[in-house]
Amino acid sequence: MGHREDLLEGAKRCLLEKGFARTTARDIVKESGTNLASIGYHYGSKDTLLAEAYISIVEGVSDDFDGSEEQQQRAAGSEPGSLERFHEVWKNVIATMRTPGSPWHLSMEIVAMGDKLPGVRAHLAKAQREGARGVIPMLMGGLEEDVSEDDVDTLGKFYMTLMMGLIAQWTFDPETATDADELTAGLRKVIEATEGKVPGPKGEPSS
């Protein structure tokens, strides 16, 4: 590997061990066996490198959203957009949060740090939108490249809101955090409560 890849792998290890706030440029250099100048040359700043490292970690975890081969077959056998597909996908997502040492706690650190990590937040805001685009086909079927901007702004943001809520719960108190059965049952009740109540053009219930 070259310095760019070494830095990324070193930053990932530092993030998992120390988090964003406690990781220094010297930590990354020591972990990666590179030098300080390499960070600026390859990534521009430590914050940008940490953001790239976090995205890489999340992408690795996201690969598990499909679950085992048996789970993939079960999800594929359910109708896109159905409660069954919703349950299967979120069951796999939540499984990544149950894992000891789950890296999702890093998302909560970003939220808690607020504007103290401007470089990280700006970089991740773009990645979050792409994440919203990517999760839609898992639940609704179709191809990622066919997902419209309107769907990203509605369905995608809806799913990302669920994701962040689940991450917060599983980080704060895994014993009482929502599981896929509860999440699906809650959605079922919302659907049942709104049946026949078609929203108006601006979201107001029509008469």
Side-chain angles (χ1 to χ4, degrees):
M1 290 193 298
H3 276 197
R4 182 178 178 84
E5 293 77 16
D6 290 336
L7 284 166
L8 186 66
E9 292 303 313
K12 288 162 63 175
R13 291 191 292 270
C14 287
L15 275 180
L16 292 172
E17 181 181 350
K18 295 186 174 185
F20 283 100
R22 293 176 55 218
T23 294
T24 67
R26 293 189 181 280
D27 290 331
I28 298 171
V29 167
K30 181 179 179 181
E31 187 66 35
S32 62
T34 58
N35 54 69
L36 288 171
S38 294
I39 294 178
Y41 178 78
H42 290 290
Y43 291 94
S45 70
K46 183 197 75 170
D47 278 359
T48 301
L49 170 54
L50 289 177
E52 290 286 353
Y54 173 74
I55 291 170
S56 181
I57 290 171
V58 169
E59 286 175 345
V61 177
S62 300
D63 289 342
D64 295 330
F65 286 0
D66 290 334
S68 65
E69 185 175 342
E70 179 183 348
Q71 290 169 321
Q72 291 177 36
Q73 291 175 348
R74 196 158 55 236
S78 60
E79 183 181 355
S82 67
L83 285 173
E84 290 75 18
R85 174 70 66 89
F86 182 91
H87 180 272
E88 288 301 321
V89 171
W90 286 106
K91 183 178 180 181
N92 294 340
V93 172
I94 291 171
T96 68
M97 301 176 190
R98 295 178 183 271
T99 308
S102 169
W104 290 116
H105 69 277
L106 293 169
S107 299
M108 291 297 96
E109 186 178 0
I110 295 171
V111 173
M113 290 294 291
D115 58 3
K116 294 181 181 179
L117 294 170
V120 172
R121 291 181 65 209
H123 201 73
L124 294 182
K126 297 178 181 179
Q128 186 178 51
R129 185 170 182 83
E130 292 312 304
R133 187 187 305 278
V135 77
I136 291 173
M138 294 183 191
L139 290 134
M140 305 301 290
L143 300 174
E144 185 173 337
E145 55 265 33
D146 294 331
V147 175
S148 69
E149 294 303 311
D150 179 66
D151 280 345
V152 174
D153 286 330
T154 52
L155 275 174
K157 288 184 177 180
F158 172 72
Y159 292 139
M160 287 296 102
T161 299
L162 288 182
M163 174 75 78
M164 289 303 295
L166 288 167
I167 291 172
Q169 290 182 9
W170 281 93
T171 300
F172 178 70
D173 186 8
E175 294 299 319
T176 63
T178 305
D179 62 21
D181 292 344
E182 294 166 334
L183 193 64
T184 306
L187 178 59
R188 186 187 302 275
K189 290 184 178 182
V190 170
I191 293 172
E192 291 172 350
T194 57
E195 283 181 347
K197 299 177 182 178
V198 181
K202 294 184 179 180
E204 305 91 342
S206 60
S207 56

